[in-house]
Amino acid sequence: MQTNVDTRTIDARIMELTEQWMHDRDEDMVTPSLEPTLGVMFNEGLNANQGGKRLRALLSLAAFDAYGQGGLDDDSHMLDLACAIEIYQTSALIHDDIIDDSLLRRGKPTAHIVLQQATRSSSDGKGLALMLGNMLATASTDIAATALANPTMQHPKANLHTFLDMQRAVEIGQGLDLGAESISLKEPSELVEASLNVFAWKTASYTTIAPLELGLCASGMAPDRAKQNARAIGVPLGTAFQLADDLLDVVGTTGSTGKPIGGDVRKGKRTVLLADALVAANKKDADTLIHIYESHSRSDEDVRTALNLLVTTGSVQTSRQRIAQLWEQTQAAINEAELAPNSKATLKDICAQFIPQAFLQVGSF
């Protein structure tokens, strides 16, 4: 059984659902002089929703297909639920980019940068982006609730709770992520533990766990079993995904990631890569890294020095090994899941797309 929904279908439906929701309002309540501001917000909402690999939607559809009957239609209610996850991701990325003051996302200026330029005001642009993120999160919930209300969708109440719990987990994870920034760099083992915990809350929760749980449960798997299977597969996969994303910030290119390389270093962000480097580094190199990361700002030379040390200390290789081990755990969990045997290979193929192929094989980089 294999879904016939591809990324182009997902893209088109996301744009359709977003546009419908944003324009489903009482026009008479908006003062004409303020209409252009609302229009700029709405246009950026559509723009921000464009692009991306749609892995969350594909994973949810694959999970639905793996336990259900397959043969999804282009107008399937499961397709709308999968699209709701992607729209929620956009809302979370907008908020994340405001917090990190990021300039690029998916190779384009971030929402708050676009809105700052449109309003010619830094504070107004960030404020509109914050509201836009909230609007898209609300839209995603409404779209999910509408999809789940269809009689063909199983366990609607449990799935709506899962969708809301996904959002709660991301909110907690973002708080934990900010809290991790205060951890002393002289305690790298504590930083590793804290960072991996953040990955589970902030990233895996809506990247892998919820998409799997929603797909399995909507197709008829009992809610408690869907949660158990989703966590067994999704926690290691989501953690590997975030580790790979952090690793690409060191060894990738802007063309492949859509973000400036070395962005985490420039922001002084505490990562597992940094913690592993501090554990393995000699005192001189460790002191250099600590000085760079604890400085008020980092120059281009600082970024180059830090990136080089992340490689020469073996941190990059350690991260590759973590990713490969987590991928093995993911595959084992799929093998043990209560799914049709002929659907497991397809699910593995979708899961493998979350991690660059080069990172799945341990060896010299």
Side-chain angles (χ1 to χ4, degrees), residues 9 29 35-36 53 83 118 127 155 160 176 195 210 212 217 221-222 269 289 294 304 338 345 365:
T9 302
M29 293 182 66
E35 187 69 32
K53 297 179 180 179
C83 289
H155 306 298
L160 184 57
L176 294 173
S195 296
L212 285 162
C217 192
M221 183 178 285
K269 186 175 179 60
L289 282 169
E294 290 187 343
R304 285 192 291 270
E338 302 163 3
F365 191 78

Side-chain angles (χ1 to χ4, degrees), residues 48-108:
N49 259 323
Q50 293 178 334
K53 297 179 180 179
R54 307 307 186 195
L55 293 178
R56 292 158 183 82
L58 290 170
L59 181 60
S60 194
L61 291 167
F64 181 86
D65 200 30
Y67 192 75
Q69 298 302 312
L72 300 177
D73 298 321
D74 287 349
D75 61 350
S76 160
H77 299 286
M78 185 59 218
L79 173 61
D80 283 1
L81 180 58
C83 289
I85 302 170
E86 293 285 342
I87 294 170
Y88 174 71
Q89 185 211 7
T90 300
S91 77
L93 293 180
I94 290 173
H95 286 160
D96 204 41
D97 288 338
I98 294 171
I99 292 170
D100 292 341
D101 203 19
S102 299
L103 301 179
L104 290 177
R105 173 67 68 178
R106 294 171 175 168
K108 302 180 295 184

Side-chain angles (χ1 to χ4, degrees), residues 277-279 281-291 309 313:
L278 290 172
V279 170
N282 58 43
K283 187 177 186 307
K284 178 183 176 181
D285 288 343
D287 287 346
T288 298
L289 282 169
I290 291 173
H291 173 73
L309 286 173
T313 58

Side-chain angles (χ1 to χ4, degrees), residues 168-206:
R168 171 181 171 271
V170 173
E171 291 155 5
I172 292 173
Q174 184 65 73
L176 294 173
D177 193 19
L178 292 171
E181 296 304 301
S182 65
I183 294 176
S184 171
L185 295 184
K186 295 181 180 179
E187 300 292 342
S189 59
E190 183 180 343
L191 178 57
V192 170
E193 183 179 359
S195 296
L196 292 174
N197 187 240
V198 168
F199 291 173
W201 281 96
K202 182 183 173 183
T203 304
S205 59
Y206 81 107

Side-chain angles (χ1 to χ4, degrees), residues 262-279:
D264 286 346
V265 176
R266 192 170 297 279
K267 290 179 288 191
K269 186 175 179 60
R270 273 60 168 162
T271 63
V272 175
L273 273 166
L274 171 61
D276 285 339
L278 290 172
V279 170

Side-chain angles (χ1 to χ4, degrees), residues 21-22 41-42 45 87-88 90-96 98 126-142 167 171:
W21 194 89
M22 285 190 161
M41 279 183 66
F42 285 3
I87 294 170
Y88 174 71
T90 300
S91 77
L93 293 180
I94 290 173
H95 286 160
D96 204 41
I98 294 171
K126 285 187 176 180
L128 287 175
L130 178 64
M131 291 302 101
L132 176 59
N134 291 349
M135 287 180 65
L136 290 174
T138 303
S140 72
T141 306
D142 184 64
Q167 298 191 33
E171 291 155 5

Side-chain angles (χ1 to χ4, degrees), residues 254-265:
T254 298
S256 64
T257 66
K259 298 181 289 185
I261 297 305
D264 286 346
V265 176

